[in-house]
Amino acid sequence: MADNTYDVIVVGTGAGGGTAMKMLCEAGLRVCALNSGPRTDPDKDYRNHRQVYDLKYRGYGDPLRFKDKPHQEPYSVEESEYSEGRDLFEHDVAYSNAPGTDWYWKRCKATGGKANFWGRSSARFGDIDFKAADLDGFGENWPVDYAEIAPWFSKAERYMGVASTIQNRPSNPDGDYLPPIPWRCLDYIIKKGAEKIGVPYLPDRCAQLTVAHEGHPACHYCGNCSRGCEVGSFFSPTWFTIPEAEATKNLTLLTHALVRSVLLDENGQAKGVAYVDRNAKKEVEVYAKVVVLAASCVETAHIMLNSKSRHWPTGVANSSGQLGRNLCEHLYGCPGYGYLPRLLGQPATPDSIADSTVAWMPRWQNLKNPREEKFIRGYSVYMGGGCGEFPGYYGELEGFGAKFKRDIKRYYPTSVGALIQAPTLPSPTNYVDIDPDKQDIFGIPQLRFHFQWGENELLMWQHSKQVMVDLFKAMGAELWGTDVEPNRPGTSLHETGVCRFGNDPKKFVTNKWAQTHDVPNLYICDASIFPNCTDKTTTMPIVAFTMRTCDYMLDNFKKGVHSRT
Amino acid sequence: MSAQQYRLVEHLADMIIPGDDTPGAKQAGVAEFIDFMLANRVAVSGGRDIRSTADGIEAGNDAQVRFLSGLNWINVRSHSEFGKAFMDCSAEQQNGMLQELAYKDKFKPNTESGRAFFQMIRDYTVVGYYTTRIGLESIGYPGLRELWPSMPGCSHPDDPEHLELPKPAM
């Protein structure tokens, strides 16, 4: 057996790829995992106990830090001055936006990917999502139902550690939970207000360890989760799946390995991948019996679209023509922010030390009747506020001098704001393809986005603004304002679609096990298989569906559908 | 920035956030921060969409130019109002001039560029002050600690609506 031939290749080491390599290695398979950037080193890369005054530019960053890079746009929250000088985010590989599209594609190339810095909300999808097409007549049902996937949600939750409570709601079924994060003053006030207008306000499903869990320590509430946890008190591949896969000695982890295409044999089946060794600047091939793509949704489609052969003139496993289609995303934006006058002048409280949406408003629209609103499906809202790292509300306060300074302190505990999470519906005009004219610095044809907000999600956006007017009134708060426009598409990092799963090979890229219909030894373990994004976040479901896919794949190895090397 | 300009910035910043029971902008080194950020062309306000190094540098250059001409505007104004440089005016005169730039009901005609400059130096001052230990301690930012043994949560479990809170000290 040649050194560069493995049982399985896994492309990507984030929520999906990390979980896949752990399961496959633990089952005894020889796995080669490829990661496009460096290995994440928590001690050096997160640096999360530094204070803002330790930073040269106080968090704004050196304006020349991306000079000469092909992609110079900074990636907001996830990429901050705290990790400056570390090569964690993708700035060397450019992408394209079609005219009229303004997609913001944030990419973490270090091992563990965006799951090093994720928001940790981990609600289950339910039949209200899987069978939404039956309820409202739009689109396609998922090829799985809740009864089938629920045990995998349990496995994922028990593995990751998710804090919440039992809530009995159809839009986000209950799971196996650690004790919830205690509520802050503002959470109780929001809940009382929400009750008055008939909106739920409940503990979020938060993958943050409120107690020690499976060898991982309990959270120490330093408050800087979005810069990465340096002790591993929330699920991330860096602290969970990657070290467990490595402990088996069955893993070969290649870093700085940017995969450009899936290699195909004379029958059009996968035989490996071609990648660019970014350090050596050379093209390399590795081979395996099975290839798993988990490159983060649209990048998975990018690799497949660039994998052409006699059998697959438009990209591997694309006989349906659906590869790259049905790109979905969460519309994000602030539908209301303001302050709670009753908290004026109260002592500062440690509201940000869990750095989390402690509680949220899980979808409450269209539950009893799928057509009770002007829009179909529904959205969720996260609420934040209280004493944070910076008095960002100062712009609402007039003047200068001693009173201005006193006001900044008086208002400190009072601020409150909302974030809408509204799913887009699949649309024929929202998709990715290959830019015919542009190649990145490695000569790889660039991915191009085509995306516009649709009417349904914009109706949700308008609806949420009215809800905030009502909520602020009901909780005795003053509204300062709202975002005029939603955030740019891509902001939420919750892209789904582009390799939808479903039973009909003419309409879907993969079957219900995330195995491509056309190429049985090519699997997908990321959110690209999800036909839509629901009102919930994707990370925990990615872990759950990956566990299920790998279980099926391992069974195929046992049955001889796939052979070992 | 010239030494003279620096002193003016230091003075204006300390007028915006003065010392009281906690130190003000001067002691927190805000003028040095503003000088550093302007010299390195880092804009902290203006709501510009920064999508490239060139965008950032353009915003930073623009901030530099507008800031320096704003300082000049302040002295031109003090000369036309009181016949002397801003730093030579009395505390009352200085305060009056800033009030006309800071409070809507005191705005004077033809002072738009002065008002825009005031907003700008106020932004730099607030950012410069509340990103120092002094500034964060002045509002009691609890996150200066590296760890908490537990998440304390709300301490008013009997009053979920928080309608019976103790009267604030200020």
Side-chain angles (χ1 to χ4, degrees), chain A residues 102 183 342 394 397 401 405, chain B residues 20 22 51 122-123 154 161:
Chain A
D102 192 21
W183 279 21
R342 76 190 63 172
Y394 79 89
L397 310 174
K405 186 181 176 190
Chain B
D20 44 20
T22 68
R51 299 199 178 187
R122 198 179 86 136
D123 288 338
C154 170
E161 280 197 84

Side-chain angles (χ1 to χ4, degrees), chain A residues 214-229:
Chain A
E214 304 283 337
H216 303 281
C219 176
H220 62 273
Y221 299 103
C222 70
N224 294 331
C225 315
S226 57
R227 292 167 206 148
C229 184

Side-chain angles (χ1 to χ4, degrees), chain A residues 160-164 177-182 204 206-213 216-221 233-234 354 356 358, chain B residues 149-151:
Chain A
M160 299 165 74
V162 180
S164 192
Y177 297 127
L178 309 179
I181 297 172
D204 192 6
C206 188
Q208 196 159 328
L209 303 183
T210 47
V211 291
H213 178 73
H216 303 281
C219 176
H220 62 273
Y221 299 103
S233 292
F234 68 77
S356 185
V358 173
Chain B
S150 65
M151 170 85 183

Side-chain angles (χ1 to χ4, degrees), chain A residues 138 327-329 376-377 423-427 430 456-457 460 532:
Chain A
F138 180 86
L327 174 62
C328 289
E329 154 74 341
I376 58 168
R377 319 268 160 107
T424 67
L425 293 174
S427 156
N430 290 344
N456 200 63
E457 49 268 22
M460 291 183 189
N532 50 55

Side-chain angles (χ1 to χ4, degrees), chain A residues 185-197:
Chain A
C185 297
L186 69 123
D187 294 309
Y188 285 100
I189 297 170
I190 295 167
K191 183 179 176 69
K192 280 287 174 188
E195 268 171 13
K196 288 178 190 162
I197 61 165

Side-chain angles (χ1 to χ4, degrees), chain A residues 124-127 130 144-158 173-176 540 544-545 548:
Chain A
R124 291 182 175 207
F125 300 168
D127 274 336
F130 299 140
V144 296
D145 63 10
Y146 183 69
E148 187 177 345
I149 196 67
W152 296 100
F153 282 149
S154 291
K155 279 194 176 73
E157 285 162 352
R158 276 187 230 128
D174 294 310
D176 295 353
M540 189 281 285
F545 276 88
R548 175 174 165 277

Side-chain angles (χ1 to χ4, degrees), chain A residues 49-54 56-58 60-68 72-74 97 102 181-186 188-189 192-193 196 219-222 224 342-346 348-354 358 387-391 393-412 474 488, chain B residues 15-24 28-29 33 36-37 40-45 49-54 56-57 95 98-99 102-105 118 122-124 126-133 136-156 160-163 165-170:
Chain A
H49 285 176
R50 288 205 299 172
Q51 305 284 356
V52 66
Y53 44 80
D54 297 329
K56 198 171 170 190
Y57 296 88
R58 309 273 179 92
Y60 285 82
D62 180 350
L64 299 178
R65 63 199 182 280
F66 303 127
K67 195 170 156 279
D68 305 326
Q72 299 180 351
E73 185 168 8
N97 274 326
D102 192 21
I181 297 172
W183 279 21
R184 307 156 298 183
C185 297
L186 69 123
Y188 285 100
I189 297 170
K192 280 287 174 188
K196 288 178 190 162
C219 176
H220 62 273
Y221 299 103
C222 70
N224 294 331
R342 76 190 63 172
L343 294 180
L344 279 170
Q346 293 296 326
T349 42
D351 299 321
S352 64
I353 61 172
V358 173
C387 303
E389 274 192 298
F390 182 75
Y393 51 85
Y394 79 89
E396 307 293 334
L397 310 174
E398 202 182 34
F400 66 97
K403 181 171 183 303
F404 177 56
K405 186 181 176 190
R406 212 159 46 236
D407 275 345
I408 287 180
K409 185 167 182 180
R410 279 178 67 228
Y411 279 80
Y412 188 41
R488 286 164 66 194
Chain B
M15 284 180 76
I16 292 167
I17 301 183
D20 44 20
D21 51 341
T22 68
F33 167 79
F36 172 81
M37 294 292 262
N40 285 285
R41 295 178 288 191
V42 186
V44 302
S45 60
D49 210 0
I50 307 289
R51 299 199 178 187
S52 65
T53 303
I57 292 304
N95 198 44
L98 285 204
Q99 294 219 355
Y103 295 93
K104 266 196 199 96
D105 60 357
F118 178 77
R122 198 179 86 136
D123 288 338
Y124 272 107
V126 170
V127 169
Y129 183 74
Y130 291 102
T131 55
T132 60
R133 179 177 269 278
L136 289 168
E137 280 175 351
S138 84
I139 45 175
Y141 172 55
L144 290 168
R145 286 164 60 169
E146 287 188 357
L147 63 92
W148 289 71
S150 65
M151 170 85 183
C154 170
S155 56
H156 319 91
E161 280 197 84
H162 292 71
L163 294 171
L165 295 176
K167 211 170 142 32
M170 51 178 195

Side-chain angles (χ1 to χ4, degrees), chain A residues 186 189-190 334-344 382-387 390-397 410-419 465 468-469 471-473 475-483:
Chain A
L186 69 123
I189 297 170
I190 295 167
C334 171
Y337 64 92
Y339 74 103
L340 289 157
R342 76 190 63 172
L343 294 180
L344 279 170
Y382 296 107
M383 299 294 293
C387 303
F390 182 75
Y393 51 85
Y394 79 89
E396 307 293 334
L397 310 174
R410 279 178 67 228
Y411 279 80
Y412 188 41
T414 70
S415 66
V416 57
L419 173 69
K465 288 189 182 184
M468 286 303 131
V469 170
L471 173 69
F472 273 60
K473 202 170 158 198
M475 64 185 183
E478 299 286 332
L479 202 55
W480 271 327
T482 71
D483 281 351

